[in-house]
C-alpha cells in the first residue's frame, strides 16, 4: 500500500491550509523564514517540502545546497517550478521517510514542519542519524480538540491520513531528540484559529 500523502493533490492541500479558518500555510511560511535565518549552516534539508512554501525566503548566497524532500513527486515538481531562482542550488528528492533513509545526503540543518506527525518519532530519529545535521528545527501542531484537521470544504481529501497521523507532544519530541544526542535550544509558539497552535522547537547536536 502506498503512502496516503501521494494521493492528496497539492491544490487541495494548499487551498485547505490557507483558508482563513486554518491559516497554517501563512503561519508556516512566516515561521520558516525564522528557521532559515537562525542557524549557521551551508546546507539545509527541508523534510516534507510540499509545494515549496517558504523557499522564497532563502537569500542569494545563503546556502550552498538546499534539499527538498517529499514523498509526492508532483509536490516536488511544483516546488522546483515555483522557485527558478534556486536552480542549481535546490535539489528535490522523492523519499518515503517511513522506509530506509539511505537515499538522503548529509546536511547541516534539517527543517521538519508538520512532518513528524506523519512518520513518528522512531523514523524521524533514523532520518536524523543518517543525515547527521548539526541543527534541527521542527514545527508541530498542538491541538485544542480531538479534530486535528480543521473543518473545511477540503476536509475529506485528508481522510486517508487517519492511518498515519499521530498526536504530537512537545515533551515526547524533546525526549526522542535527546535519545539521539540533540538538546533543545529554543521554542516559539504561534496561535491558529480554532484554538490550535504551531510550536517551533529547535535542537542542537551535543
Amino acid at each position: 500500500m502506498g503512502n496516503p500523502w501521494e494521493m492528496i493533490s497539492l491544490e487541495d492541500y494548499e487551498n485547505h491550509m490557507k483558508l482563513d479558518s486554518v491559516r497554517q500555510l501563512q503561519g508556516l511560511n512566516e515561521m520558516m523564514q525564522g528557521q532559515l535565518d537562525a542557524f549557521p549552516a551551508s546546507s539545509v534539508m527541508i523534510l516534507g517540502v510540499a509545494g515549496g512554501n517558504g523557499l522564497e525566503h532563502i537569500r542569494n548566497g545563503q546556502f550552498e545546497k538546499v534539499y527538498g524532500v517529499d514523498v509526492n513527486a508532483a509536490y516536488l515538481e511544483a516546488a522546483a517550478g515555483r522557485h527558478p531562482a534556486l536552480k542549481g542550488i535546490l535539489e528535490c528528492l522523492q523519499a518515503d521517510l517511513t522506509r530506509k533513509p539511505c537515499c538522503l545526503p548529509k546536511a547541516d540543518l534539517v527543517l521538519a514542519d508538520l512532518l513528524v506527525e506523519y512518520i513518528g518519532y522512531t523514523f524521524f530519529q533514523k532520518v536524523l542519524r543518517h543525515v547527521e545535521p548539526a541543527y534541527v528545527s521542527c514545527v508541530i501542531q498542538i491541538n485544542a480538540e480531538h479534530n486535528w484537521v480543521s473543518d473545511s470544504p477540503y476536509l475529506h481529501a485528508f481522510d486517508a491520513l487517519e492511518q498515519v497521523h499521530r498526536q504530537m507532544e512537545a515533551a515526547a519530541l524533546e525526549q526522542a531528540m535527546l535519545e539521539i544526542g540533540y538538546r533543545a535550544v529554543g521554542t516559539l509558539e504561534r496561535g491558529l484559529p480554532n484554538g490550535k497552535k504551531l510550536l517551533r522547537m529547535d535542537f542542537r547536536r551535543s
Side-chain angles (χ1 to χ4, degrees):
M1 184 176 65
N3 190 302
W5 274 107
E6 296 178 273
M7 304 296 108
I8 299 171
S9 75
L10 184 61
E11 183 179 18
D12 284 348
Y13 172 67
E14 291 186 334
N15 284 340
H16 168 80
M17 294 283 280
K18 70 183 181 184
L19 287 170
D20 284 341
S21 59
V22 180
R23 295 195 63 80
Q24 290 192 14
L25 200 72
Q26 299 92 324
L28 288 171
N29 186 284
E30 292 179 12
M31 295 180 86
M32 187 169 166
Q33 183 174 15
Q35 290 174 302
L36 289 167
D37 291 342
F39 308 96
S42 62
S43 58
V44 58
M45 179 178 292
I46 301 153
L47 302 177
V49 71
N53 179 39
L55 291 181
E56 69 273 15
H57 297 305
I58 296 174
R59 302 185 307 277
N60 184 36
Q62 184 176 9
F63 298 106
E64 295 175 7
K65 196 71 179 179
V66 177
Y67 299 103
V69 180
D70 210 285
V71 70
N72 190 310
Y75 291 8
L76 295 172
E77 184 177 356
R82 291 172 173 178
H83 300 282
L86 295 177
K87 186 175 181 180
I89 298 171
L90 174 63
E91 182 176 345
C92 291
L93 303 170
Q94 186 179 11
D96 186 336
L97 301 180
T98 62
R99 302 181 186 276
K100 292 181 179 179
C102 58
C103 65
L104 299 179
K106 309 299 182 187
D108 299 329
L109 168 63
V110 164
L111 306 187
D113 296 346
L114 301 190
L115 180 281
V116 186
E117 286 92 329
Y118 299 103
I119 68 171
Y121 301 119
T122 300
F123 282 115
F124 190 49
Q125 289 174 322
K126 289 181 179 179
V127 170
L128 295 180
R129 283 191 177 109
H130 182 81
V131 178
E132 298 181 337
Y135 305 95
V136 180
S137 185
C138 305
V139 174
I140 61 175
Q141 179 176 297
I142 305 298
N143 299 311
E145 54 191 36
H146 177 68
N147 294 330
W148 52 275
V149 178
S150 298
D151 191 26
S152 87
Y154 307 96
L155 180 64
H156 292 296
F158 304 97
D159 285 349
L161 295 181
E162 287 278 1
Q163 60 189 291
V164 295
H165 180 264
R166 302 156 178 84
Q167 293 287 358
M168 287 287 98
E169 295 181 7
L173 177 57
E174 185 171 349
Q175 178 58 38
M177 295 296 287
L178 275 173
E179 289 173 3
I180 58 170
Y182 289 86
R183 61 181 182 87
V185 293
T187 60
L188 179 69
E189 280 190 5
R190 181 187 177 94
L192 295 172
N194 302 325
K196 298 178 180 180
K197 294 185 294 186
L198 294 177
L199 175 63
R200 171 180 155 188
M201 300 181 67
D202 295 342
F203 301 91
R204 179 182 296 149
R205 188 169 59 200
S206 300

